[in-house]
Amino acid sequence: MTGFARSPLAAILGPTNTGKTHLAVERMCAHSSGMIGFPLRLLAREVYDRVVKLKGPNQVALITGEEKILPKDARWFLCTAESMPMERDFAFVALDEAQLGADHERGHVFTDRLLHARGREETMILGSEALAPMVRALLPKAEIIGRPRFSTLSYAGPTKLSRLPPRSAIVAFSAEQVYAVAEMLRRMRGGAAVVMGALSPRTRNAQVAMYQAGEVDYLVATDAIGMGLNMDVAHVAFAGLSKFDGHRRRRLTPAEMAQIAGRAGRHQRDGTFGSLTLEGELISEFRPEEIEAIEEHRFQPLDFLYWREGDPDFRSVEALVRSLEKRPDKPGLRPAHEAVDLAVLKRLAEDPDVLDRAKGYERVRRLWAACGLPDFRKTGADHHARLVARIYVHLTEGAGRIPQGWYAEQLAKLDNVQGDIDTLADRIAGVRTWAYIAHRPDWLVEPDAMAERARSVEEKLSDALHERLTQRFVDRRTSVLMRDVGKGAGEFPVIVDEQGEVTVGTYPIGRLDGFHFEVDPTARHADRKMLLATAERRLSGEFERRAAALVADTDDHFTLRTDADKQVAILWRGHEVAKLGPGKNLLSPRVLLDRRLERVSDRGREAVIERLKNWVRGQVERSLGKLRAAGAAAQEAAAGPAVRSVLAMLVDEGGIIDRSEVAKPLAELNREQRRHISKLGVRIGALDLFMPDVLKPEARRWRTALRAAAAGEAMPELPAHSSVVLPTPKDELRTLLTRLGFRALGPQMLRVDLVERLARHAHEARTGKQPSVVDAALTTSLGLQPEAVARLMKEIGFRPAASEGGWIWKGRARRRDDRPADPTHAFAALAGLRRG
């Protein structure tokens, strides 16, 4: 569309409500052909409907990223700025809201159209007065024509929601704020229409029709209404004065405030604007200089616009990236921020398969076209790049078309009218992706048929969304269905930062630790009532994402909480997610999910429970694997009743049992059966049967935790890992220490493996392998008191000798190969042994 440098070029600049768009439509219709580029799909659709009434449907085209109505004989085109067919020749061309060239996300598109979109007979640049310096700098031949506002715009001060005048529009800066305000209006005033940029034109038109028809007196909208959507609004109330701009939350500029406030009043009817007071508190207040600027339409002039190469180099992927990152050479132009399409291109440039396919001009051009697929669902560059990569693979293999079956399958997944507002809005965003693809002429074998199918699905979802919005915000219904959150279901959804701080719109409302949401204790009740309901609905999606992350996480991010006097619990990344309860046996506890996970879907909870069971099973196997193996052996019929009895009682006691308690079945064991038990890791000691592995610190902790869980009790306090000798307590702690593997020896308790070591030393002294019955060096290093040593020696069958410090065996002398008379004592065969 270049080459018409001598065409008349005019910049029509002025505040909102000056009829700039209406003038452009009139001028376009006076020409034999024409095109207008708009900032919003909704606005393009609104003007398209108006021009169709003037020229007829066969003469008018609508082209947006995901909607294309292109009659064969169309002469007048209404488009979004990105979708303007720059290769076509039109008598008239206009660009609306050209000051968006300073927008950090889309600015380069508007700047490119400002520099290059020309009609052969007439060109109009529409925008705010702040654009004038840039028009003079970049388009010195353009005639600048000012348009005064037809009516007066006045500041009305803060207003309570309950006292808003009829025909008011409340502007919020997130879907959550929109929903909260609309719900309050439903309770107070009977309802409100809802308009957001994420709505489809069909849903938006149905909502506006309710407002225009007087079915409701209030309209709650995002700042999308600031871009020329014309409605009968008398007053604009701001529910906030800051917004998230894609990078950070910032205060609106006076020009942005005026763009929105200017929706109040129409033609020569005056309008007012102000801030909103919710639940008795002023959300945000205008500053005096801002009020003055808005009322007098005086704003800081723009001194730059964002620019990116509009005719990139397709010789190679590297050349393409370089050309898109080239810096502008004209004063007043700044390099554009990295947009999603370029971010996706860079990620795909690191994919060997993509690079291998992107050889040659046409293949590179096709890659850039694929990267231009908008991220309608706001999934982020990384996730979006995966979809683009798959599409590009289809476009570069075989016939170079996306398989129709796969396309239809993706669309069919979205063809579901069940769900809440956010779910339906997210599905509509998904349909927009496939509608965009269908409107690429060389991406599908049957693009028209697929475009029609996508349009049908969008209409169905749009009607369902309109119904949900009406039911929730207009009908006198007090119950609202619990909603799952869809990705990208709002410009600024609930934000949970790295510290767990939860923000809804402009409001911090509490913390989310794991799955536990705690309302900010400093928040007023009125604020909590308004925001908590919104947060709870929106956090359900966060809970689902966290549940999925838990299921996918590695074992090292789970821990067993065994703090004294607390219930045994499983922690995920430090957050409690479940407790252990009585199960079918000691080693198979039941996993009891924390009640906070009730917000997760049934399917999600089941997956979490299974993941936690697997983790517990793995930890038990790691710490108590031999104990579990002994339990399994106790179930084997071939082992014999005596073996099964010994093992069953041993496992029930956690791997340590007093020998006297299994005396009867132990006496029935033959040599081979004893060897079998020993191979299972069981040591048949003088006083105890025990498994040395269960005495290790982690095994000891898990045994205690599992026993506490089986009893439904809190975790007791454990002795230090290094403890081998402890004072004998006088309360129930003695029972605990016994189960942990300590044997009471009068004033002290000694770990059973060391009891066995001292007993074995005494046995070896009998055969002459040791010089003394008592291992004096070991008892001294352990700090055993004489009373404890004496108790031990008596329990293993010795009595004090007549000589001081000596010990003799109490039983009768026997040959070494005789069997013990008392099977409860391993050393019943020792006789006449004295300490040297």
Side-chain angles (χ1 to χ4, degrees):
M1 193 175 292
T2 57
F4 304 105
R6 291 175 294 177
S7 302
L9 177 61
I12 313 299
L13 308 180
T16 54
N17 197 17
T18 59
K20 297 188 297 292
T21 304
H22 182 73
L23 173 63
V25 172
E26 283 187 342
R27 295 298 303 155
M28 181 185 73
C29 291
H31 286 274
S32 60
S33 63
M35 173 176 66
I36 303 178
F38 295 98
L40 296 176
R41 177 193 184 196
L42 292 175
L43 184 53
R45 181 75 197 214
E46 180 182 274
V47 177
Y48 166 80
D49 292 337
R50 192 192 314 172
V51 177
V52 164
K53 292 178 181 178
L54 296 173
K55 298 294 186 179
N58 294 330
Q59 299 289 310
V60 187
L62 173 68
I63 303 179
T64 67
E66 61 275 24
E67 187 175 18
K68 182 181 291 184
I69 302 174
L70 187 56
K72 181 177 64 174
D73 299 322
R75 292 192 290 158
W76 293 279
F77 283 60
L78 294 312
C79 318
T80 51
E82 287 85 348
S83 300
M84 295 171 71
M86 299 289 286
E87 73 283 356
R88 282 180 174 259
D89 178 17
F90 294 98
F92 174 89
V93 170
L95 175 66
D96 193 22
E97 305 292 358
Q99 76 277 0
L100 286 178
D103 180 75
H104 74 272
E105 287 187 1
R106 303 170 64 203
H108 64 277
V109 176
F110 285 82
T111 301
D112 181 77
R113 302 304 185 254
L114 183 145
L115 293 173
H116 302 298
R118 297 291 182 268
R120 66 174 181 271
E121 297 173 7
E122 183 178 5
T123 302
M124 291 180 64
I125 306 297
L126 314 178
S128 68
E129 293 169 307
L131 186 63
M134 295 312 302
V135 172
R136 294 190 185 98
L138 299 174
L139 307 173
K141 295 183 180 181
E143 178 185 4
I144 297 178
I145 302 173
R147 296 277 292 187
R149 182 179 167 92
F150 293 153
S151 58
T152 301
L153 184 62
S154 305
Y155 177 63
T159 307
K160 291 183 179 179
L161 190 65
S162 58
R163 295 184 181 179
L164 276 179
R167 316 312 292 169
S168 289
I170 300 91
V171 179
F173 296 92
S174 72
E176 284 64 45
Q177 273 191 323
V178 169
Y179 296 158
V181 172
E183 196 157 305
M184 294 178 73
L185 283 170
R186 178 181 60 81
R187 295 196 304 266
M188 295 178 181
R189 297 296 185 91
V194 171
V195 171
M196 298 184 292
L199 300 183
S200 66
R202 189 180 181 92
T203 304
R204 175 260 176 193
N205 290 343
Q207 288 287 303
V208 170
M210 283 197 314
Y211 176 80
Q212 293 292 79
E215 296 178 36
V216 291
D217 273 331
Y218 301 92
L219 178 77
V220 187
T222 59
D223 55 344
I225 70 165
M227 292 296 176
L229 297 179
N230 293 313
M231 288 161 283
D232 293 322
V233 175
H235 178 77
V236 172
F238 286 75
L241 291 173
S242 63
K243 72 173 184 178
F244 183 72
D245 63 7
H247 294 275
R248 62 187 177 90
R249 175 157 288 278
R250 62 171 178 81
R251 190 176 179 86
L252 300 175
T253 65
E256 290 171 329
M257 295 176 187
Q259 185 80 23
I260 298 167
R263 294 300 101 199
R266 193 167 186 182
H267 300 297
Q268 296 185 5
R269 187 167 58 220
D270 295 341
T272 58
F273 71 97
S275 50
L276 187 65
T277 300
L278 291 175
E279 302 288 355
E281 287 213 5
L282 181 61
I283 297 176
S284 192
E285 180 60 289
F286 286 93
R287 297 164 182 162
E289 62 272 18
E290 293 169 340
I291 296 171
E292 182 180 356
I294 295 169
E295 289 184 333
E296 298 183 7
H297 316 301
R298 290 188 291 101
F299 307 107
Q300 186 73 26
L302 291 175
D303 57 3
F304 74 91
L305 297 177
Y306 287 114
W307 176 88
R308 189 174 77 181
E309 177 59 64
D311 185 19
D313 186 349
F314 295 123
R315 288 177 297 174
S316 67
V317 174
E318 294 80 3
L320 175 59
V321 173
R322 282 197 305 271
S323 64
L324 291 171
E325 292 185 330
K326 185 169 66 174
R327 300 184 67 83
D329 55 9
K330 291 185 179 181
L333 297 181
R334 292 184 184 177
H337 291 274
E338 184 177 272
V340 174
D341 54 1
L342 180 54
V344 168
L345 175 64
K346 287 183 174 181
R347 283 160 176 77
L348 296 187
E350 299 172 355
D351 186 330
D353 184 40
V354 171
L355 285 179
D356 186 58
R357 293 170 180 270
K359 303 294 186 183
Y361 182 93
E362 286 302 322
R363 285 290 186 92
V364 175
R365 185 187 63 80
R366 204 159 176 77
L367 173 61
W368 181 233
C371 293
L373 174 65
D375 182 15
F376 291 113
R377 301 183 89 161
K378 308 298 182 187
T379 58
D382 289 329
H383 186 279
H384 189 55
R386 291 194 286 271
L387 173 61
V388 172
R390 183 166 186 179
I391 289 172
Y392 182 65
V393 168
H394 287 313
L395 295 176
T396 53
E397 62 185 9
R401 297 292 187 270
I402 295 172
Q404 195 132 315
W406 179 70
Y407 178 95
E409 179 186 349
Q410 304 308 308
L411 198 56
K413 291 177 182 178
L414 301 169
D415 190 2
N416 180 1
V417 297
Q418 302 303 313
D420 56 23
I421 291 172
D422 285 342
T423 299
L424 292 173
D426 182 57
R427 287 192 192 124
I428 289 174
V431 172
R432 293 174 71 185
T433 298
W434 302 105
Y436 181 97
I437 290 172
H439 289 301
R440 307 284 75 74
D442 58 349
W443 285 18
L444 294 169
V445 175
E446 299 179 7
D448 293 341
M450 293 299 99
E452 178 60 27
R453 183 177 297 186
R455 185 190 63 79
S456 176
V457 174
E458 181 176 336
E459 287 186 354
K460 190 188 304 183
L461 292 172
S462 297
D463 290 342
L465 179 55
H466 172 62
E467 180 184 353
R468 299 295 192 285
L469 290 168
T470 302
Q471 287 176 348
R472 179 171 173 189
F473 301 127
V474 178
D475 289 356
R476 307 279 182 167
R477 300 172 63 178
T478 56
S479 61
V480 179
L481 295 175
M482 293 300 292
R483 310 182 295 135
D484 291 328
V485 177
K487 292 182 182 178
E491 176 185 278
F492 185 56
V494 166
I495 297 297
V496 183
D497 66 18
E498 294 180 358
Q499 288 73 40
E501 293 293 334
V502 182
T503 303
V504 179
T506 58
Y507 303 93
I509 63 169
R511 289 181 59 85
L512 185 61
D513 291 322
F515 293 88
H516 172 54
F517 176 73
E518 183 177 2
V519 179
D520 183 358
T522 65
R524 293 181 52 169
H525 174 72
D527 290 336
R528 291 201 300 269
K529 186 178 179 181
M530 177 184 70
L531 296 175
L532 181 58
T534 301
E536 287 293 323
R537 288 191 296 272
R538 298 296 290 168
L539 282 175
S540 60
E542 179 67 21
F543 286 130
E544 293 292 338
R545 285 189 288 274
R546 291 191 176 204
L550 182 154
V551 171
D553 222 346
T554 54
D555 282 356
D556 54 343
H557 289 117
F558 297 87
T559 53
L560 188 72
R561 187 189 70 194
T562 53
D563 297 342
D565 300 322
K566 290 185 178 181
Q567 295 292 316
V568 177
I570 302 174
L571 306 184
W572 172 57
R573 293 181 177 266
H575 306 298
E576 181 178 336
V577 292
K579 290 183 173 65
L580 295 186
K584 61 183 180 181
N585 56 52
L586 180 68
L587 301 182
S588 301
R590 185 181 176 191
V591 173
L592 306 172
L593 280 190
D594 189 274
R595 61 179 178 79
R596 302 180 187 99
L597 273 79
E598 292 174 359
R599 299 184 180 97
V600 178
S601 66
D602 291 345
R603 185 174 180 180
R605 286 199 303 272
E606 290 172 4
V608 169
I609 290 174
E610 188 61 30
R611 177 67 182 92
L612 297 180
K613 282 182 177 178
N614 288 337
W615 178 78
V616 170
R617 192 177 299 116
Q619 295 304 306
V620 169
E621 187 65 31
R622 184 176 292 110
S623 300
L624 301 171
K626 289 190 175 180
L627 186 61
R628 186 188 290 279
Q635 305 298 318
E636 296 176 358
V643 171
R644 295 202 306 271
S645 178
V646 169
L647 292 178
M649 288 190 284
L650 177 69
V651 172
D652 284 345
E653 289 301 312
I656 303 169
I657 190 169
D658 192 294
R659 180 171 176 145
S660 63
E661 294 182 23
V662 292
K664 184 177 180 180
L666 189 63
E668 296 173 5
L669 299 179
N670 57 37
R671 185 183 301 274
E672 187 61 33
Q673 288 173 324
R674 287 173 177 255
R675 186 178 295 113
H676 174 63
I677 289 178
S678 297
K679 287 181 178 179
L680 292 172
V682 180
R683 184 171 298 176
I684 303 175
L687 302 177
D688 303 279
L689 266 70
F690 64 95
M691 305 182 77
D693 279 1
V694 305
L695 298 175
K696 295 177 181 179
E698 190 64 6
R700 187 169 68 182
R701 185 174 77 96
W702 269 92
R703 279 194 300 118
T704 308
L706 293 174
R707 189 171 292 281
E713 299 173 350
M715 182 73 180
E717 184 173 1
L718 296 176
H721 292 331
S722 59
S723 299
V724 292
V725 178
L726 296 170
T728 301
K730 297 180 180 180
D731 51 21
E732 64 274 6
L733 181 58
R734 177 170 176 170
T735 302
L736 169 66
L737 293 177
T738 300
R739 284 176 169 168
L740 289 178
F742 290 83
R743 170 167 281 275
L745 301 173
Q748 291 176 298
M749 298 188 78
L750 179 63
R751 206 170 66 194
V752 295
D753 58 333
L754 292 170
V755 169
E756 173 64 10
R757 181 174 169 182
L758 290 170
R760 186 168 296 279
H761 181 92
H763 169 63
E764 291 175 350
R766 171 182 173 272
T767 62
K769 294 180 180 180
Q770 297 291 346
S772 62
V773 174
V774 177
D775 187 341
L778 180 59
T779 56
T780 301
S781 65
L782 292 175
L784 280 181
Q785 299 174 13
E787 294 89 341
V789 174
R791 179 66 175 268
L792 170 60
M793 299 309 295
K794 288 178 181 179
E795 288 195 8
I796 61 175
F798 290 87
R799 61 183 174 81
S803 60
E804 183 179 352
W807 295 90
I808 62 174
W809 176 244
K810 293 187 292 183
R812 60 186 176 87
R814 279 186 172 272
R815 292 189 306 272
R816 183 176 300 179
D817 58 351
D818 283 346
R819 289 181 59 81
D822 182 358
T824 64
H825 293 288
F827 306 108
L830 298 178
L833 203 59
R834 295 175 175 273
R835 183 179 181 186

